[in-house]
Amino acid sequence: MRTILTTLGTGRARSLGAALTALLAAAVAVGAPFYFAPFQVFQLTMVLLYAVALAGLNLLVGFGGQISLGHGAFFAAGAYTAAVMLDRYDSAHLATLPVAAAGCFLLGLGFGVPALRLSGLYLALVTLSFAVFLPPLLKRLEPVTGGSMGLTVDKLQPPAWSGLAEDQWMYLVVLAVTAVALLLARNLLRSRVGRALLALRDNESAAEVMGVRLSLHKTLAFAWSAMFAGVAGCLYTWVIGFVSPDSFSFVLSITLLAGLVVGGLASLYGPLLGAAFVMYVPSVAQDVSDAAPGVVFGLLIIAVMFVAPTGLAGLAGRARDAATRRLTRTAPAAGRTPGPAPTTAPAADPAPADAEPVGAPPRTEKE
């Protein structure tokens, strides 16, 4: 490691380490469905689709600085769009994905209009109301949504040439969609839109002075966030094969927001860690206490926030930076070659006792 830091420098060594980590993570992710049991593969699939939803929420809350408690409603909109297309129109599964994404993007674009005049708790209250009234509305639209009974649709089946089981094929498809979604979110944040969102989050007045259009980017933040949630909802329909209004209560919105905060706001890896928290911690809480799993879930959130105030992604980042700083301090400076040891001049012989001082007149014989 010291040799790598010396040869490449700290910046290049970090880039190389990130590339190797990404390749290793990709290899582990692709090989996971062939190693774990079907139920565990199902859980990993749910983690991936929740990560897509949290990536969209991260754009709005983490990078945009807006507060949304209605993300579960956009999730439900995407899920019902796919379910209605599959049940009523016998559409292909892959055809439902772009329709759900586009429909939720337009829905978020229209819902982003209140964000132009509201902020903080007022905006949170409006988004929460959207998540509260959507389930009863879905129950009322029984001819389309199936009412309280919901809709049962066929799951995505593997093609014959793949030779894969249903859970393995579903996992790989969801993994591919998740990778594209996370890459899109990463590129979006590195574009002009992402820089505008960061400027709005830090200081709206300064951003407006610099030429950032507040109305446009606030609305786009809601639209992009809703689109990611719609894609995640569509994947949910593919995986579960059933949707009902009770599956998308306002508790889902609160859970998604809690998962994002635990995973890490304004972090590219936070949605993945938050999705794992959303998927696994409730089951752990249920195993700990059948009577009060919500209490255990809340206590676990408090414990994580106490240990990692900036989220799990921030905790991992601090550990990585500390290890890099320690290696940098111990590694020799790049480009410096050890030279010969400095030599000291030989000590002069001591002057004899009767030596004449410099500048003294010559002594005579008499002296």
Side-chain angles (χ1 to χ4, degrees), residues 23-35:
L23 290 176
L24 179 61
V28 172
V30 172
F34 306 101
Y35 178 77

Side-chain angles (χ1 to χ4, degrees), residues 263 267 269 273 308 310-323:
S267 170
Y269 306 104
L273 298 175
T310 57
L312 298 176
L315 182 64
R318 289 199 302 270
R320 183 186 65 248
D321 292 341

Side-chain angles (χ1 to χ4, degrees), residues 44-141:
L44 292 175
T45 306
M46 295 297 294
V47 169
L48 292 176
L49 68 89
Y50 280 137
V52 176
L54 293 184
L57 188 60
N58 196 27
L59 289 174
L60 181 63
V61 180
F63 292 95
Q66 308 291 329
I67 300 178
S68 175
L69 297 177
H71 204 62
F74 297 114
F75 189 95
Y80 265 94
T81 299
V84 170
M85 290 182 64
L86 292 172
D87 183 69
R88 307 300 186 191
Y89 302 102
D90 199 20
S91 302
H93 283 78
L94 294 181
T96 62
L97 186 63
V99 175
C104 289
F105 182 87
L106 295 176
L107 183 62
L109 201 64
F111 196 80
V113 175
L116 303 179
R117 297 183 177 274
L118 299 175
S119 61
L121 296 177
Y122 300 99
L123 180 61
L125 184 61
V126 171
T127 55
L128 179 61
S129 65
F130 183 43
V132 170
F133 82 75
L134 183 62
L137 179 63
L138 293 174
K139 293 180 181 180
R140 298 277 182 176
L141 300 176

